[in-house]
Amino acid sequence: MNKTAFLGALTVTGLAAGAAAAATLDDVRDRGTLNCGVSTGLTGFSAPDANGNWEGFDVAVCRAVAAAVLEDPEAVEFVPTTGQTRFTALASGEIDLLARNTTWTFSRDNDLKFEFVGVNYYDGQGFMVPKELGVTSAKDLGGATVCIQTGTTTELNLADFFRTNNMEYEPVPIETNAEAQQQYLADACDVYTTDASGLAATRASFENPGDHVILPEIISKEPLGPLVRHGDNEWGDIARWTLNALIAAEEYGVTSANIEELSQGTQNPEVNRLLGTEGNLGEMIGLDAEWAKRAIMAGGNYGELFERYLGESTPVGLARGLNAQWTDGGLLYAPPFR
Amino acid sequence: MASTVDASSRQGFKLSQLIYDTRYRSLTIQAIAMALLVLFLSWLVSNTVQNLSDLGKDFDFGFLGQRAGYDINQTLIPYTSGSSHARAAIVGILNTLLVAFLGCILATIVGVIAGVLRLSKNWLVARLMTVYVEGFRNVPLLLWIIAIFAMMTEATPQPRDFREGGTASMWLWDSVAVSNRGVYIPAPVWGPGSTALIIVFVLSIAAIIGFRRYAFRRQEATGVLLPILPVSLALFFLPSILAYFVLGGPVSLAYPELGGFNFQGGLHMRNSLIALWLALSLYTGAFIAEIVRGGILSVAKGQSEAAFALGLRPSRTMNLVILPQAMRVIIPPLISQYLNLTKNSSLAIAVGYMDARSTLGGITINQTGRELEGMLLLGLFYLVLSLIISGAMNVFNARMKLKER
């Protein structure tokens, strides 16, 4: 009898271990929703609107992937994560994709065993201070109290910056952007430091944004991008090429307004391949022919998303800068759809 | 007994006896339960190993030796961002011990006072204590931590308000600054000769303990009471003060002064520490108050009536009759409250207090991706700490319990 129980348990063990390694794409299809990790709230990147619907630049990546895979941009389960919980959530399989202004670094890619599928925002770390302090340079911040989100690359950059400039500082560790905002506005810290885009987004939600300045120094490179787990290259490819499709669509002038018309067939074979009227790119990636078309229709191409959530007409008010297409002197460069 | 075994062995052993024979049944059940437990544990281990290998991760504590790279605001030992993750973990552990130690002391004081006062015949005092106990006991600790922290940061002035012409001023002859970044108090500066002063102080404490023992023994033997309190006070103050002046004032105070963005000098008690400490103490104090009240109520009323009949004053009745008997009821649940407080201190991250959970279990795990190793170490730390506390309290309990002869 004991032998039977032992064999039975062995079987269960084998099954459970086997199930853990199944393909993410199948899991997502079976579930019918994409579990997407986002921030706990950062205006412009990922924040719930007045009706509780998540929206923002990172959220749009989740919706595009859901549209490509599940044919429904709304079929996303958003999982708010903090700087500390995000990697555990992804590694444990709680989320399928993490789109939470996360910096691509060597150790995250290799030591933490994640796969960054690209860069959706080229950023750098900056400092924000109240205007009345009269500080004009980050080099004047010796002795200051600095609010910093824990578990981020900015935390390490901050330590390095003050160390190399031989300055003392007092870190105030904070879990979320909302907490940091509250601490900063209560003057519990003199300075708030995070990615410059995050500073602009945070400042946009202040009552008097004009009372705060973002110092000119950018002390790091922060390429922010979506990421997936190591070990499932098919799923990583889907996320990577969905992002590339959004970027390529802007380059080729495919917008949410003209996409229906263009998908009738155009003179440009690259657009045709992107939209699935020519070739079999969709089949190669394990999806149907119109996957990229749906991803672009979910919210528009990269440029449209940028304008809607971060651009100069929004409260965040960011210029394209490094995030312009390579044809306009920026760094965005989608590999060919061929 | 022997004959029955002989009888059954003569008939031969049947497999069904394992279930139907009461001599073997309990053994059978234990063997099956053990086998299931071992299977479950081995499944957990193999599942973990399998998942780790699926993720391409190994199990390695080498990360503890790597450079941490992050700064910690409150460090009881020297630490920089260039130190190792192991040292960052120790810094966090010391911060946990600090807040747990401070919390246990304050919680005991608050709890004993509130517990005794709740039994007061004064209607207002007793009701106020009821409100305190029920209010803190029935609201989650996390809310109290955040509430106290929010009060500290929102309601207190910022450092630059202390400038001349500002709206805020320091307390106690310009020695204590209460700001939204914490409380700055004067810090002692240990000059040459301060070691001698400390030795004198320790010796005078030892003398007080020795004198009290002598006084008690003398009272037991002869019934003569010695003046304990005045002698103790004199022993406490006189030698240290004399030594201070003889040695030429080796210890001075460094006052906090406003410089640059913040106060410089003095001792900085950060709001995160204060909020966590107060919230833990007040929360646990409410439970201790109920334990103390229950302990006092457990002593039969006849005990105090008998003491009064013998002519003992109320304070002596409390100290000599009620409390010794109440203590044996109070101490065991008190141990578990101390354990609770220590483990609850892991809520520190809510206010950015850098305890073991925030350094080893937070930033280090996040930067190195060693969730399993970090969490195992963290669990081990809390386990060892709890066992030490409960071991020490058990020794104390053994000494305090009624000596039955």
Side-chain angles (χ1 to χ4, degrees), chain B residues 196-253:
Chain B
L197 187 64
I198 292 171
I199 292 172
V200 169
F201 182 72
V202 170
L203 283 179
S204 64
I205 298 279
I208 291 173
I209 295 171
F211 175 73
R212 293 176 84 106
R213 284 214 180 134
Y214 166 72
F216 280 123
R217 240 177 307 160
R218 196 174 142 136
Q219 191 193 349
E220 296 255 306
T222 65
V224 178
L225 279 174
L226 288 177
I228 292 179
L229 186 69
V231 176
S232 300
L233 282 178
L235 277 175
F236 187 81
F237 286 109
L238 286 180
S240 299
I241 292 175
L242 270 178
Y244 179 81
F245 285 110
V246 169
L247 291 164
V251 179
S252 58
L253 288 176

Side-chain angles (χ1 to χ4, degrees), chain A residues 34-91:
Chain A
L34 171 75
N35 290 341
C36 198
V38 290
S39 76
T40 52
L42 179 62
T43 312
F45 282 90
S46 48
D49 69 5
N51 301 320
N53 297 320
W54 284 87
E55 62 172 27
F57 196 62
D58 282 334
V59 166
V61 174
C62 302
R63 294 210 189 278
V65 172
V69 174
L70 299 168
E71 310 189 9
D72 180 8
E74 299 298 318
V76 188
E77 191 74 47
F78 289 102
V79 180
T81 58
T82 68
Q84 286 207 14
T85 60
R86 53 183 166 180
F87 296 132
T88 316
L90 182 60

Side-chain angles (χ1 to χ4, degrees), chain B residues 50-61:
Chain B
Q50 176 72 39
N51 276 315
L52 280 177
S53 73
D54 282 353
L55 287 169
K57 286 186 170 183
D58 54 354
F59 189 79
D60 180 17
F61 286 98

Side-chain angles (χ1 to χ4, degrees), chain B residues 313-336:
Chain B
R313 278 175 274 136
S315 63
R316 298 218 149 213
T317 306
M318 192 60 152
N319 285 334
L320 298 175
V321 179
I322 311 270
L323 275 184
Q325 298 186 73
M327 281 307 256
R328 63 183 175 151
V329 182
I330 293 175
I331 291 175
L334 195 62
I335 301 175
S336 77

Side-chain angles (χ1 to χ4, degrees), chain B residues 138-221:
Chain B
N138 297 311
V139 172
L141 174 58
L142 185 61
L143 292 188
W144 281 118
I145 295 177
I146 293 174
I148 294 178
F149 186 67
M151 277 187 258
M152 299 288 300
T153 49
E154 299 282 352
T156 49
Q158 48 178 310
R160 56 177 182 273
D161 288 344
F162 287 88
R163 293 230 171 81
E164 275 183 44
T167 50
S169 55
M170 292 165 75
W171 296 0
L172 295 175
W173 308 282
D174 272 358
S175 64
V176 174
V178 178
S179 79
N180 63 356
R181 292 178 192 171
V183 176
Y184 297 81
I185 56 174
V189 178
W190 307 100
S194 51
T195 327
L197 187 64
I198 292 171
I199 292 172
V200 169
F201 182 72
V202 170
L203 283 179
S204 64
I205 298 279
I208 291 173
I209 295 171
F211 175 73
R212 293 176 84 106
R213 284 214 180 134
Y214 166 72
F216 280 123
R217 240 177 307 160
R218 196 174 142 136
Q219 191 193 349
E220 296 255 306

Side-chain angles (χ1 to χ4, degrees), chain A residues 113 145 151 169-171 186 190, chain B residues 56 71 73 180-181 262 270 366:
Chain A
K113 308 291 180 196
T145 306
Y169 74 108
E170 157 98 15
D190 301 302
Chain B
D71 281 305
N73 46 17
N180 63 356
R181 292 178 192 171
N262 289 313
R270 288 170 182 79
N366 203 269

Side-chain angles (χ1 to χ4, degrees), chain A residues 240-323:
Chain A
R240 173 176 301 111
W241 285 95
T242 305
L243 178 62
N244 282 335
L246 299 181
I247 296 172
E250 188 192 14
E251 186 183 344
Y252 302 134
V254 180
T255 67
S256 51
N258 65 9
I259 190 165
E260 284 295 351
E261 183 191 332
L262 291 179
S263 55
Q264 304 300 321
T266 65
Q267 297 303 315
N268 185 340
E270 184 122 10
V271 173
N272 292 349
R273 283 194 293 270
L274 178 66
L275 298 181
T277 48
E278 205 178 300
N280 57 348
L281 296 187
E283 197 183 309
M284 293 179 201
I285 204 169
L287 299 170
D288 62 321
E290 295 198 322
W291 66 279
K293 181 185 165 191
R294 284 194 306 272
I296 297 162
M297 282 173 71
N301 65 32
Y302 184 94
E304 288 177 273
L305 294 174
F306 196 101
E307 272 320 301
R308 184 169 331 132
Y309 297 118
L310 304 173
E312 282 167 351
S313 59
T314 67
V316 182
L318 291 169
R320 284 298 286 269
L322 290 176
N323 297 292

